[in-house]
Amino acid sequence: MDTSQTEAEQYEHIRTRVFPSSDDAVRVVAAALARLIRDRSQERLNTVLGLATGSTPVKLYRELIRMHREEGLSFQNVVTFNLDEYHGLPPNHPESYRHFMEVQLFKHVDIPSENIHVPDGLVPRPEVYAYCQEYERKIREAGGLDVQILGIGRTGHIGFNEPGSGPDSRTRLVSLDRLTRRDAARDFRGEANVPGYAITMGVGTILQARELALLAWGESKASILRAAIEGPQSESIPASFLQRHPNCQSYIDEPAASELTRFRVPWKVGTVDWKPSLVRKAVVSLAADLKKPVLRLRDEDYSENGLASLLMETGSSYSLNIRIFNELQHTITGWPGGKPNADDSNRPVPANPAHKRVLVFSPEPLDAELGMAGTLHRLVGHGHEVTLVYLTSGNLGVPDSEARMAIGLLNELSENPEGDPQRRKRIRALAEEVDNKKPFDEDSADLRKFKGFIRKAEARASCQVLGLDLSRVIFLDLPFYETGRYRQFRPSEEDVSAIRALCELIQPHQIYLTGSGADPSSVSGISFQLLRTALETCRNDAWSGRCQTWIYAAAERPWPIHEIEMAVPLSPAELSVKLDCLYHHRSQRSQTPFLENQSGESWQQAEHNNRVTAQQYDRLGLAEYEAMESFRRSREPGLAR
Ligand code: GLP
C-alpha cells in the first residue's frame, strides 16, 4: 500500500491528483515532461514518450507547444510512440491518429520526423502480427517508454484495449467496441463511417513504461474513473490494470473526480466539516440508500450508516430531518421567475421585480430546450422578457442527408422561371456538393452556413412551441465554432466580447446557462468557460450585482437531488409541450440504432431525466409530480451570485 496516501484516499488504488480545472492539471503534467526532457537532454539522452490521442491530451499538447515557442523547450531529443491507430485509415486521413498528432503537436515543434512512431493503419491484414511485433521491438530498441500519457474511454479502455483485454496483452489488431464507435461517430460523421478495427499497444506494453500519467476531464468520465481507480482489477475495465503499476498517477479535474469515494461520500473516509451542502448530501443519500422518506429516518439509521458524527453535531434525527425536508421543499417552485406579491423568504427566486429580463444561453440549438424547455415555457407564460441566445449554430452536427432534403425543397421552389437566377445557381452548387461529397470531405463555407440555417429553422420552430417572441431568439454564431471544427476549436477574446456586449444590452435579472461539468474541449465546455470569463468582466456592472445565475443540467446527466437549488415541476401537459418542442430538432435525431441500457435519442433521455428527478423527490417524501427540470446556482467565480 502507498504510504503517502491520505485517509480520504484509502479506496484509491491509483495515486490521484484532483485539480480545479484541466488547465491546472495540464500545466503540472507539461512542466514535469519538460523537466524530464531537459534533464535527459543535458545528459545527451533521448526522452521516449508514449503519446495518446482523443480530446483529453489536446490541451497538454497546446501547453507543450507554448513551452516550445516561449520557453525554448526543444523536442530534438524526444522520441515518440503513439498508442494506437485506426486500421484501414491512411496517415493523411483527417481522422487518422497520425494526422491528429501532426496537427495537434508534431508540426508545431522541432521533433525530427524519424523520431515519430504511430502505428501504420494501412498494414495489410496478413502482415499485422509481424508489424506489431516490430513496433514493440522499436520501443525496446529506443530504451523503453519513459512516460506514457493515457486518456480513458467510456468503456474503460486505454489505447484501444477494449473490455476483455488482459494485463499481458501486447500490440495487436483489435475490433472496436460499440460504445467506442458510437463515441467516435461525431468525428466520423456517423457511426457507419467509424472503422471497425484498430492497432493498439497492449495493456502489457503500456504497463512496461517507467511512468504512466492518466488524464481525464469532465463528468462523463466520473463513473468509469471510479471503477478504474477504486474497483477490482478486471478485464472488463482494462484501465483498472493500471493499479498494478508502481509509478502510475492520474491527473483529473473536479467533475471527473466526483464519483470517487472521497467526493461522493466523504464522511465514510474521515472527519468532515459538516457544511450545509454536505449535510444535505448525506441525508439525501442516506434516505435514498435506505429507500425511506427523509422524515422517517431514525437516529439508528444515521448511526448505523457512518453518520453518527452528523447526529452529534445536529442533535437529533428529528430536527435534522425536518430541516432537510424543508430545504428540499423550498427548492420546488412553479414560479422560476419569482412569484409576484408573495413572501419570497423561502423561495429560490426573489419576487421583485415582478417582470424580469431573463437571458438564456444555449451552447448549440437543442441544449437549452433539453435542459429547460418547460421552464422557458413557464417564464414566457408568466410574462417575463425572455431572450434565448444560441451561442453557436451547431452546423457541424447536421448530416448531409438532412441538407439534401432541405436542398430538395428549395429546388422545388426555384423551379419557378421567375425565380432569381443567382439563387438558383447557389442552390445548384449546394446540391452538387452534397451529391458528390465523400464521407470525409470538409463542407464548403456555403454548405456549412446552409446547415446552420437548418438548425436555426428547427430552433425557431421549437421556440414557437414554447411561445417565445422570435425577435428575442438570437443566434450569436460565435467565431470559435463557425471557424473551427471538433477538437480544433480555439476560443478567443472575440467570443467573450460578443457575449459581454449582449449581457450589457439586456442587463438581465436572471441568466441560465449550462456546461459546468462538461468535457472542457466540447462545445458545451468551451461555451461555459467563455460565459464565465464574460460574466467575470461584467462583475462591477450595476445589473450584475442583482442578477441570479442558474445552471441547467446537461441531457446526459441530471443534477443529483442534493445539488438542486431550484426544481420546476412539469405537469403531464407541460411535459407534452416540451417533447413537442424537442421533436422540432429533427436533424439531431440519432443516426444509429439504440444501445442496450441507453436511451438512444436525446429527447428520450431528457424526458427520462425529468421523470426520474420527480420520482426522487417523491421517494424522499415530497409531493409527487409528473416530471421536474432542475437547476443549481453557480458556484464558479465570476458566476457566483
Ligand atoms: C480513443 C483513444 C483513446 C482515448 C479515448 C478517449 O478511443 N483510442 O486513447 O483515451 O478515445 O477519448 P477522449 O479523450 O476524446 O475522451
Side-chain angles (χ1 to χ4, degrees):
M1 195 187 133
D2 181 359
T3 47
S4 63
Q5 234 175 8
T6 64
E7 185 182 5
E9 296 161 15
Q10 61 188 277
Y11 290 103
E12 295 164 21
H13 308 305
I14 295 175
R15 247 182 310 147
T16 299
R17 285 182 68 179
V18 181
F19 295 83
S21 76
S22 55
D23 290 331
D24 300 315
V26 297
R27 267 195 296 275
V28 170
V29 179
L33 290 178
R35 231 177 357 256
L36 181 73
I37 294 170
R38 287 196 172 110
D39 289 352
R40 290 184 66 89
S41 292
Q42 267 190 353
E43 295 171 37
R44 297 186 185 286
L45 294 172
N46 283 341
T47 305
V48 186
L49 297 183
L51 299 179
T53 49
S55 301
T56 308
V58 168
K59 280 191 177 177
L60 174 67
Y61 298 150
R62 278 191 198 158
E63 176 64 3
L64 290 173
I65 295 167
R66 189 199 64 74
M67 292 172 118
H68 170 68
R69 289 189 182 146
E70 295 173 15
E71 296 168 13
L73 176 67
S74 170
F75 289 74
Q76 283 290 335
N77 296 323
V78 172
V79 177
T80 65
F81 286 89
N82 262 81
L83 277 170
D84 46 11
E85 177 62 284
Y86 291 109
H87 191 243
L89 294 196
N92 59 356
H93 188 288
E95 292 309 328
S96 78
Y97 284 167
R98 172 73 201 210
H99 184 258
F100 174 98
M101 289 307 302
E102 285 296 332
V103 172
Q104 300 292 350
L105 180 65
F106 297 149
K107 75 171 187 190
H108 306 283
V109 296
D110 60 343
I111 184 165
S113 58
E114 63 275 17
N115 289 9
I116 295 172
H117 306 86
V118 181
D120 178 357
L122 288 187
V123 182
R125 181 66 190 87
E127 292 162 35
V128 167
Y129 181 68
Y131 176 84
C132 292
Q133 286 193 315
E134 179 62 13
Y135 199 70
E136 297 248 345
R137 195 190 58 73
K138 282 190 185 147
I139 297 176
R140 283 196 301 276
E141 200 176 83
L145 302 168
D146 289 307
V147 184
Q148 174 66 56
I149 304 296
L150 295 165
I152 183 168
R154 283 201 298 154
T155 59
H157 68 222
I158 42 175
F160 269 132
N161 292 284
E162 298 284 23
S165 303
D168 302 321
S169 53
R170 311 302 309 184
T171 304
R172 67 203 187 287
L173 186 77
V174 290
S175 61
L176 300 182
D177 199 279
R178 203 47 213 289
L179 183 56
T180 301
R181 297 187 67 221
R182 195 171 213 202
D183 281 349
R186 192 196 56 187
D187 300 323
F188 283 89
R189 300 180 192 163
E191 194 182 319
N193 301 323
V194 182
Y197 295 88
I199 294 180
T200 181
M201 280 187 201
V203 179
T205 325
I206 293 168
L207 289 175
Q208 272 176 347
R210 281 180 277 282
E211 189 176 338
L212 302 177
L214 172 66
L215 318 182
W217 332 125
E219 60 196 14
S220 67
K221 298 286 170 75
S223 59
I224 197 68
L225 272 177
R226 177 183 169 202
I229 293 174
E230 298 190 348
Q233 294 180 29
S234 123
E235 287 189 1
S236 62
I237 298 174
S240 64
F241 292 124
L242 300 177
Q243 297 175 14
R244 305 188 166 191
H245 196 282
N247 198 8
C248 172
Q249 178 140 326
S250 71
Y251 301 82
I252 63 182
D253 68 2
E254 283 172 2
S258 59
E259 290 286 323
L260 296 179
T261 303
R262 61 172 142 144
F263 296 99
R264 201 171 41 88
V265 281
W267 53 89
K268 294 202 173 158
V269 286
T271 46
V272 291
D273 172 14
W274 282 113
K275 289 183 297 202
S277 57
L278 193 60
V279 174
R280 194 197 300 189
K281 182 175 185 174
V283 176
V284 167
S285 73
L286 180 67
D289 287 351
L290 301 182
K291 299 193 171 52
K292 274 188 170 185
V294 170
L295 292 175
R296 289 184 48 210
L297 292 172
R298 295 161 182 269
D299 280 4
E300 40 292 20
D301 292 329
Y302 285 91
S303 49
E304 287 165 11
N305 287 282
L307 288 168
S309 75
L310 177 58
L311 271 195
M312 296 263 281
E313 288 221 5
T314 48
S316 70
S317 59
Y318 177 77
S319 55
L320 179 57
N321 294 349
I322 291 180
R323 183 177 123 201
I324 299 304
F325 179 87
N326 285 337
E327 276 183 29
L328 292 170
Q329 179 69 52
H330 295 155
T331 62
I332 303 174
T333 181
W335 297 84
K339 187 170 186 181
N341 306 318
D343 172 10
D344 60 7
S345 44
N346 281 320
R347 292 177 173 276
V349 180
N352 291 315
H355 292 285
K356 295 191 171 59
R357 287 185 299 273
V358 180
L359 188 50
V360 178
F361 289 103
S362 186
E364 291 187 47
L366 187 58
D367 292 328
E369 290 90 323
L370 288 168
M372 56 177 289
T375 304
L376 273 164
H377 189 233
R378 277 192 173 232
L379 287 165
V380 173
H382 290 165
H384 300 290
E385 184 189 292
V386 182
T387 306
L388 174 53
V389 180
Y390 294 106
L391 294 172
T392 73
S393 69
N395 56 20
L396 291 169
V398 178
D400 288 341
S401 53
E402 286 297 319
R404 198 170 285 125
M405 193 206 67
I407 292 167
L409 264 174
L410 287 175
N411 256 335
E412 294 269 337
L413 264 181
S414 67
E415 286 292 288
N416 172 2
E418 276 148 44
D420 176 352
Q422 275 303 334
R423 190 176 303 163
R424 265 213 304 267
K425 209 168 131 201
R426 223 173 134 193
I427 298 171
R428 214 173 305 128
L430 285 172
E432 270 170 31
E433 182 178 347
V434 181
D435 285 341
N436 299 322
K437 242 182 85 185
K438 290 191 247 1
F440 297 105
D441 289 350
E442 290 289 323
D443 290 351
S444 68
D446 234 20
L447 181 56
R448 241 184 110 166
K449 201 160 162 201
F450 183 70
K451 287 183 168 180
F453 291 158
I454 295 178
R455 294 212 66 183
K456 290 175 186 175
E458 290 171 345
R460 282 193 201 95
S462 78
C463 288
Q464 276 178 309
V465 173
L466 302 180
L468 278 150
D469 171 356
L470 288 190
S471 68
R472 299 208 159 276
V473 175
I474 296 175
F475 297 94
L476 218 46
D477 288 350
L478 287 182
F480 89 85
Y481 184 93
E482 304 305 319
T483 59
R485 50 171 303 183
Y486 290 127
R487 302 191 207 272
Q488 289 175 38
F489 295 127
R490 288 186 181 268
S492 73
E493 189 43 44
E494 238 186 298
D495 300 300
V496 175
S497 32
I499 297 172
R500 183 184 158 88
L502 196 79
C503 293
E504 282 169 353
L505 184 75
I506 309 261
Q507 309 211 344
H509 301 101
Q510 276 193 332
I511 289 178
Y512 290 85
L513 46 88
T514 191
S516 53
D519 167 357
S521 66
S522 64
V523 177
S524 224
I526 293 173
S527 299
F528 183 76
Q529 283 311 322
L530 289 169
L531 284 161
R532 194 169 126 149
T533 313
L535 294 177
E536 176 74 32
T537 64
C538 297
R539 213 185 190 137
N540 298 324
D541 299 359
W543 62 268
S544 167
R546 52 169 165 67
C547 177
Q548 274 191 331
T549 304
W550 291 101
I551 308 188
Y552 56 94
E556 314 81 60
R557 185 176 169 266
W559 297 129
I561 297 293
H562 66 270
E563 283 186 20
I564 296 175
E565 287 160 277
M566 175 163 73
V568 178
L570 307 185
S571 67
E574 283 166 325
L575 186 58
S576 305
V577 171
K578 174 167 185 168
L579 291 174
D580 184 19
C581 151
L582 298 179
Y583 293 152
H584 282 81
H585 294 265
R586 56 159 275 144
S587 72
Q588 298 308 293
R589 69 199 190 284
S590 148
Q591 309 289 304
T592 50
F594 295 170
L595 278 183
E596 219 180 327
N597 300 329
Q598 289 220 332
S599 31
E601 304 283 355
S602 52
W603 43 83
Q604 288 175 314
Q605 179 113 46
E607 179 185 0
H608 174 78
N609 291 348
N610 294 165
R611 286 186 188 280
V612 167
T613 302
Q615 280 159 12
Q616 287 172 326
Y617 267 84
D618 175 29
R619 288 190 190 133
L620 290 169
L622 293 115
E624 182 179 355
Y625 293 98
E626 180 83 357
M628 276 175 160
E629 289 177 344
S630 59
F631 303 85
R632 68 170 178 75
R633 295 285 290 274
S634 171
R635 285 187 287 273
E636 316 293 332
L639 299 178
R641 308 200 189 293

